[in-house]
Amino acid sequence: MTDSTGPGLDQDGCFLREGSLARISAEFAPVAAAARERSAARFGDRLHSAYLYGSIPRGTAVPGVSDLDLLLALHSPPTPDDHAAAEALGAELDAAFPQIDGAGVLIDGVARLLSERERYDLGWFVACLCTPLSGPDLAERLPRYRPTSLLARETNGDLFRVLPGMRERAAAARTEAERRRLTRGMSRHLVRCGFTLVMPRWGGWTSDLTEMAEVFGRYYPARAEQMRAAARAARAPADHPALLDELLADLAPWLADEYLAVHGPKAPRP
């Protein structure tokens, strides 16, 4: 890591928590309120806390373009019925609010989110990238974080494991809508992997995909244009109908190998 304090860090070189409820624009305030109310209604006393992440709490969401990202922490491990309920909640919110284009609801148990195994992955995600929406804030029970190689490894050091599944899903896509969703999600994934690959050297943090691609390009200029293309596709997948195959065939396997060489593999999960 660099000795200086980079973007997104405090004076001690630790992550500043991105996002806040105060940054949510007027257009998305009803979405956030509904997410709070409907998650509580659906999960009741089993819900420990709820969090927003992504563009809405960062104040950068675009009506009709941005999606809703919600994390629900349950007192106990989620069941298959809980996962189904979370998926139904996302579909319900997406249908109710035209200002969002999709809604993803992650769900997990408090014990796992606070576990030692997840300390530098889900724990960091909650403490640094999630904005408390309701309930006790789990970040108060987690450490402060710095942009280290350990954090890089435990967040995205499993690209080599997930890449075969990404290719299978891309090959199985049959509709344009499904293809667009995959292009958007997988392009985001690759840009974020590229950024966290160089994050310890850069010594800072950003969630802006364009800036992520540019930072990556400073360290890997031969791959810079590919990463810029991935960032563009993540924002407007319909404009890049054939790019996903190219990214999965060339950029992704190179990135997976480079990640292993620089940071090593993420610890396996059960």
Side-chain angles (χ1 to χ4, degrees):
M1 194 179 86
T2 64
D3 294 331
S4 60
T5 297
L9 308 181
D10 65 17
Q11 61 184 6
D12 297 320
C14 295
F15 280 83
L16 292 167
R17 197 174 202 174
E18 64 173 34
S20 72
L21 298 183
R23 294 182 187 174
I24 299 175
S25 65
E27 293 93 338
F28 290 96
V31 182
R36 180 191 299 111
E37 294 163 2
R38 298 187 189 194
S39 59
R42 192 170 290 267
F43 291 95
D45 292 341
R46 297 194 60 227
L47 181 65
H48 173 276
S49 48
Y51 306 81
L52 294 173
Y53 62 99
S55 61
I56 291 180
R58 291 199 303 266
T60 59
V62 178
V65 176
S66 299
D67 55 359
L68 169 70
D69 297 306
L70 180 66
L71 168 68
L72 304 180
L74 301 186
H75 286 285
S76 56
T79 66
D81 286 345
D82 291 328
H83 285 289
E87 185 174 348
L89 174 60
E92 178 183 304
L93 290 167
D94 184 31
F97 295 97
Q99 54 268 58
I100 59 173
D101 180 19
V105 182
L106 299 180
I107 188 168
D108 218 322
V110 167
R112 182 167 182 256
L113 293 171
L114 295 178
S115 68
E116 186 66 31
R117 184 184 295 275
E118 295 294 340
R119 183 60 47 86
Y120 291 93
D121 188 7
L122 291 177
W124 165 77
F125 172 65
V126 170
C128 300
L129 304 189
C130 287
T131 296
L133 184 63
S134 66
D137 183 7
L138 289 174
E140 295 177 359
R141 299 163 64 181
L142 289 162
R144 303 177 74 197
Y145 293 87
R146 300 174 185 271
T148 62
S149 182
L150 171 61
L151 183 61
R153 182 175 75 239
E154 289 304 300
T155 51
N156 287 307
D158 60 348
L159 180 58
F160 73 101
R161 294 192 188 107
V162 302
L163 183 54
M166 293 171 70
R167 287 173 171 153
E168 289 175 7
R169 292 195 299 277
R174 293 294 178 263
T175 67
E176 289 186 11
E178 185 179 6
R179 185 79 176 178
R180 286 196 300 271
R181 286 194 298 272
L182 289 174
T183 298
R184 183 181 189 180
M186 292 180 184
S187 296
R188 284 180 177 181
H189 190 165
L190 293 177
V191 174
R192 288 166 180 160
C193 285
F195 172 72
T196 54
L197 170 65
V198 303
M199 174 187 66
R201 282 178 276 176
W202 188 54
W205 175 258
T206 178
S207 282
D208 181 272
L209 294 173
T210 299
E211 186 175 12
M212 283 183 166
E214 292 304 318
V215 171
F216 167 86
R218 298 178 195 176
Y219 299 89
Y220 295 96
R223 295 281 179 173
E225 188 48 47
Q226 281 183 308
M227 196 63 77
R228 292 188 189 106
R232 291 192 293 268
R235 294 190 303 273
D239 296 341
H240 307 274
L243 182 62
L244 182 59
D245 291 333
E246 178 186 332
L247 293 175
L248 293 178
D250 187 30
L251 177 64
W254 171 85
L255 183 57
D257 289 344
E258 185 68 8
Y259 219 104
L260 285 174
V262 175
H263 299 300
K266 179 176 181 174
R269 296 325 194 237

